[in-house]
Amino acid sequence: DQQVKQNSPSLSVQEGRISILNCDYTNSMFDYFLWYKKYPAEGPTFLISISSIKDKNEDGRFTVFLNKSAKHLSLHIVPSQPGDSAVYFCAASTTLTGTASKLTFGTGTRLQVTL
Amino acid sequence: DAGITQSPRHKVTETGTPVTLRCHQTENHRYMYWYRQDPGHGLRLIHYSYGVKDTDKGEVSDGYSVSRSKTEDFLLTLESATSSQTSVYFCAISETGQYNEQFFGPGTRLTVL
């Protein structure tokens, strides 16, 4: 049962335009959400996060929006650049033993930014 | 970049052999995690540690064990490797537990023949 879903396996956007990546979740216990970017043969790199008590967080070209009632979050990249081409993972956090946190990941969306 | 290294980076082994993967950090972070990445599944948590000698199971822990005898090292052992354990393994660390990002190592690609 996939608790975090990224329904678009791929997305192609022109350089300079907005990229919008979407993520849906089913577990109401998720209290923190993150986006990671991954290049081939590298580990995921943290991009931006948002707490469940907020509905928006911005960091430079990246903005994450959270709609708790719809259990939906999205990542906006404006303007998109060729270096943004990568696989983007949405992740949701729950608390474990010893206050560690488990990240539940979506299956990723491959973003290609074209010239 | 967070100081996380994983060794080996690539390994090919045969079914039934034991395998140990190492994660080493220089950040002195308390929390360490092992994930595996497979097509169609994203990353899934195998085991995690919330302190030296404090470990617990994640969602896909069968066939794996871990040990953490010092802050900087977290070992993942496949007691008897199977072909279903062919995967890319990522170690992650975080300074605090809740409401905090995890930083990932470069990964180990393991192939079990």
Side-chain angles (χ1 to χ4, degrees), chain B residues 62-79:
Chain B
D62 288 349
Y64 301 96
S65 62
V66 290
S67 66
R68 191 170 179 200
S69 59
K70 44 187 178 176
T71 300
E72 57 265 36
D73 289 326
F74 193 31
L75 304 180
L76 177 71
T77 297
L78 291 65
E79 303 290 346

Side-chain angles (χ1 to χ4, degrees), chain A residues 2 31-32 34 36 38 41-44 46 49 51 89 93 95-107, chain B residues 9 30-31 33 35 37 40-43 45 48-50 56 59 90 97-107:
Chain A
Q2 195 79 22
D31 53 13
Y32 191 66
L34 308 91
Y36 284 84
K38 187 181 182 304
E42 294 184 11
F46 170 72
S49 60
S51 165
F89 289 97
S93 177
T95 304
L96 300 168
T97 304
T99 70
S101 60
K102 170 188 172 183
L103 296 183
T104 300
F105 284 82
T107 52
Chain B
R9 293 293 314 278
R30 176 182 173 187
Y31 300 89
Y33 308 83
Y35 291 85
Q37 184 190 11
H41 288 280
L43 283 79
L45 182 65
Y48 64 98
S49 170
Y50 48 97
D56 208 340
E59 64 182 302
F90 291 101
Q98 296 170 283
Y99 314 121
N100 197 246
E101 58 269 23
Q102 295 178 15
F103 298 99
F104 285 81

Side-chain angles (χ1 to χ4, degrees), chain A residues 10 12 18 20 24 32 36 40 53 59 62 76-77 89 92 97-98 108:
Chain A
S10 63
S12 183
I18 183 171
I20 300 176
D24 297 297
Y32 191 66
Y36 284 84
I53 62 172
D59 184 1
F62 303 92
H76 293 210
I77 306 173
F89 289 97
T97 304

Side-chain angles (χ1 to χ4, degrees), chain B residues 2-3 20 31-32 40 51 53-54 56-57 59 62-63 67 70-71 80 87 89 92-93 96 103 107 109-110:
Chain B
T20 295
Y31 300 89
M32 298 186 76
K53 297 186 180 177
D54 291 322
D56 208 340
K57 296 178 180 180
E59 64 182 302
D62 288 349
S67 66
K70 44 187 178 176
T71 300
S80 177
S87 188
Y89 291 85
I93 64 174
T96 62
F103 298 99
R109 181 173 293 277
L110 176 67

